[in-house]
Amino acid sequence: MSDPIVILTEEPLGADDRLNIERLVDGADTRLVLLVPANTERHLVVDFLENLSMLDVAKAFRELTAHTPDPAAERAEAAETLAVSLDALEGLGGGVTGEVVEGGAVSGLVAKVKELGAAQAVVITRPHAVADTFHTDWANKAQDQLGLPVLHLYAGSGFIGDS
């Protein structure tokens, strides 16, 4: 069995994501470990600018006036994302396991990679214009902390982020 691959996602994975991971595994019996953060730690100003950059003015102002999310609701949403994603990746590699990560998403990924001695990490997110442009996205942060390449895929597509 080859080294495990640790995957961090903020989005429920689907058929396109499965295809990307299947290509990455390439028939090997690689164990996949899926992480979903309980709290994505988004920043209000960054999210506002991101929504404006995507020309979604209504969403930008709606989220600007939204209240702080309930931690129990965030955890429930993360658990649902994990369940859907585990189903999507079922049968790939040498098995798929997963967990909801408390605390920071990147620190959870870094800790799991080190714990397992994984040689590869993957981050799957929707595009984040501001974070991606200024290289402050999860993949870049994880790569800086791990000292190994981190593949950044955009959820539901074959597009690779710039990390």
Side-chain angles (χ1 to χ4, degrees):
M1 183 179 268
S2 58
D3 290 336
I5 297 174
V6 181
I7 303 167
L8 173 66
T9 185
E10 67 179 350
E11 294 286 311
L13 302 181
D16 289 333
D17 303 305
R18 177 189 173 87
L19 183 60
N20 290 333
I21 299 301
E22 191 170 21
R23 288 178 181 151
L24 182 63
V25 171
D26 195 30
D29 63 346
T30 305
R31 184 167 65 115
L32 302 173
V33 179
L34 185 62
L35 305 176
V36 178
N39 177 342
T40 58
E41 299 178 328
R42 304 308 304 173
H43 298 286
L44 185 62
V45 173
V46 172
D47 285 348
F48 179 74
L49 292 173
E50 186 171 297
N51 288 322
L52 286 180
S53 74
M54 303 296 249
L55 302 176
D56 197 343
V57 177
K59 184 177 180 184
F61 284 99
R62 191 171 46 250
E63 288 186 3
L64 187 62
T65 59
H67 295 91
T68 305
D70 173 39
E74 284 184 325
R75 187 151 185 29
E77 186 176 330
E80 177 64 23
T81 296
L82 179 62
V84 168
S85 299
L86 288 172
D87 285 347
L89 299 180
E90 186 177 351
L92 285 183
V96 183
T97 60
E99 63 188 78
V100 173
V101 176
E102 299 294 338
V106 173
S107 54
L109 173 66
V110 168
K112 187 58 78 173
V113 166
K114 289 180 178 178
E115 173 191 325
L116 299 175
Q120 189 163 15
V122 178
V123 172
I124 303 175
T125 65
R126 61 189 172 275
H128 295 289
V130 175
D132 293 347
T133 299
F134 293 105
H135 303 288
T136 58
D137 57 273
W138 290 350
N140 275 288
K141 287 180 179 180
Q143 189 166 293
D144 289 345
Q145 292 179 35
L146 289 169
L148 60 92
V150 176
L151 179 61
H152 186 189
L153 299 172
Y154 291 135
S157 75
F159 293 110
I160 298 174
D162 180 27
S163 56

